[in-house]
Amino acid sequence: TGKMSQSLVITGQQKKDMVLLEANKLAKTGKLASVPHWINEWRPTDSIYLTSSQIDALLYEIKILNAPCQIEQGVAVMEQTLELYGMPNNWNRIVEFYLEAIEDLPLDAIIDMMRTCRMNLKWFPKPSELRSYINKDYWKRCTAEIKLNAMKAKSLVAMT
């Protein structure tokens, strides 16, 4: 087991190579499909291997992924799911409370949230319960945005 545990240790250089490889892929494609795992593993005491422009590119892509959808789209997805449960008689009066729960979410998070509700809940959740069904990918993107902003700040401090 000693040999196995040694082979699983990633050196600083291997980590740097992995980070730069993923940053170069982003530079070539211009699109980020998901958050690279190393971003959420990064700690403020860790080194920064990216340039300021690479950090900016990643931040830009994550902000695009996390951008709120048009509220009409979110309502349409929610109403489609609500049809399974039965549309409340007072929907026109309470829809604003549901909008508060989804107004800052991207469409993919709302779609996944509604899918989770359909697959797991006998009754449609109240507005205060809805956000607990947001998938982990959205929260990883939120965490990545915070960490990238911290990286950027650290790199700016290091330059002075």
Side-chain angles (χ1 to χ4, degrees):
T1 58
K3 288 183 180 180
M4 180 181 277
S5 63
Q6 288 177 348
S7 66
L8 296 176
V9 175
I10 296 175
T11 67
Q13 183 61 45
Q14 290 170 322
K15 190 174 196 176
K16 179 179 178 180
D17 293 345
M18 178 181 60
V19 168
L20 292 174
L21 178 68
E22 290 182 13
N24 288 332
K25 282 183 193 175
L26 172 62
K28 287 179 184 175
T29 63
K31 284 210 174 266
L32 186 67
S34 64
V35 175
H37 68 88
W38 58 264
I39 293 175
N40 286 331
E41 293 173 2
W42 183 83
R43 302 289 176 258
T45 55
D46 292 346
S47 298
I48 300 171
Y49 305 118
L50 303 173
T51 65
S52 182
S53 62
Q54 289 171 320
I55 293 170
D56 287 340
L58 284 165
L59 269 169
Y60 176 79
E61 288 297 317
I62 288 175
K63 285 180 181 183
I64 288 174
L65 290 172
N66 275 354
C69 69
Q70 294 179 357
I71 201 66
E72 297 83 10
Q73 293 174 314
V75 169
V77 170
M78 192 166 34
E79 286 180 343
Q80 183 182 28
T81 295
L82 257 172
E83 288 179 16
L84 290 172
Y85 293 93
M87 191 71 75
N89 294 335
N90 61 346
W91 180 244
N92 289 334
R93 290 195 323 256
I94 64 171
V95 66
E96 68 184 284
F97 305 123
Y98 282 91
L99 294 180
E100 289 174 339
I102 66 166
E103 67 187 357
D104 62 335
L105 297 175
L107 187 58
D108 71 313
I110 296 170
I111 290 169
D112 288 341
M113 180 174 53
M114 291 298 116
R115 180 181 307 116
T116 300
C117 290
R118 288 190 306 269
M119 302 305 282
N120 296 291
L121 301 175
K122 190 172 182 177
W123 293 280
F124 195 75
K126 299 290 185 201
S128 62
E129 300 165 330
L130 264 181
R131 292 180 78 87
S132 65
Y133 298 102
I134 296 172
N135 73 10
K136 64 183 177 184
D137 291 336
Y138 172 74
W139 297 119
K140 283 182 181 178
R141 294 190 311 240
C142 292
T143 301
E145 187 173 351
I146 292 166
K147 291 204 175 192
L148 285 166
N149 279 314
M151 282 182 203
K152 185 169 178 137
K154 183 176 178 178
S155 70
L156 291 174
V157 167
M159 291 172 29
T160 58

